[in-house]
Amino acid sequence: MKKYIINPISLFIIGLLLGILSRLLDIYTQNLGNIFSQMAIWILFGVLISIYSHTKKQAMINILPFCLGMLGTYYSVAYFNQGVYSKTFIMAWTLFALCSPILSYFTWMTKEKGLLSYIIRIGIVLISILSSLILFDGLRIYDFIIDGLLIYILFFKKIIR
């Protein structure tokens, strides 16, 4: 089952669907829209895609279509429903998406042994927390849940590749 989900085509489709869902949640709900508009949830999704990929190369290949699919549909829905969106945000998220293969490469390494792996894990968690603090005005209850899941997955969950 994992190989049917963790491949570029499936992840592109999942990204497309999550982009639509995320934008609709922004429009029609407050709390769920806030959750899917912040970086922490996307960092969590990226970590899951990366660590469940069989190789570093697959992790890099898998993450990009997911991110581009999500961004494409999110901003398409925003455009077609004449929603508010910023070109600065589009450029920033696109840059993040284009950097995602490199980030995915290092994220895949978090399940290996050694000091570098440990440092990368700490860095991912810190970036998730700091993005909520700096970019989104503080930690909320759902940030603690997302970051708790991130800590569990990165530090305690055993992954068989």
Side-chain angles (χ1 to χ4, degrees), residues 2-16 45-70 97 100-105 108 161:
K2 185 172 70 169
K3 75 177 181 178
Y4 293 114
I5 295 173
I6 308 293
N7 70 66
I9 294 169
S10 296
L11 288 169
F12 180 69
I13 293 167
I14 291 168
L16 292 172
F45 289 154
V47 165
L48 290 170
I49 291 167
S50 299
I51 65 173
Y52 280 104
S53 296
H54 290 293
T55 65
K56 292 176 196 173
K57 183 178 177 182
Q58 278 186 314
M60 294 173 72
I61 292 169
N62 287 335
I63 196 70
L64 187 61
F66 172 79
C67 290
L68 293 177
M70 185 274 301
S100 67
I102 295 165
L103 299 171
S104 187
Y105 177 90
W108 188 92
R161 294 186 175 137

Side-chain angles (χ1 to χ4, degrees), residues 12 46 75 99 110 150 160:
F12 180 69
Y75 286 112
C99 292
T110 61
L150 199 57
I160 300 170

Side-chain angles (χ1 to χ4, degrees), residues 17-38:
L17 295 173
L18 283 176
I20 292 168
L21 177 67
S22 179
R23 183 61 190 161
L24 293 176
L25 290 173
D26 277 351
I27 295 168
Y28 297 111
T29 69
Q30 174 126 17
N31 289 331
L32 288 173
N34 287 340
I35 292 169
F36 283 91
S37 293
Q38 295 189 17

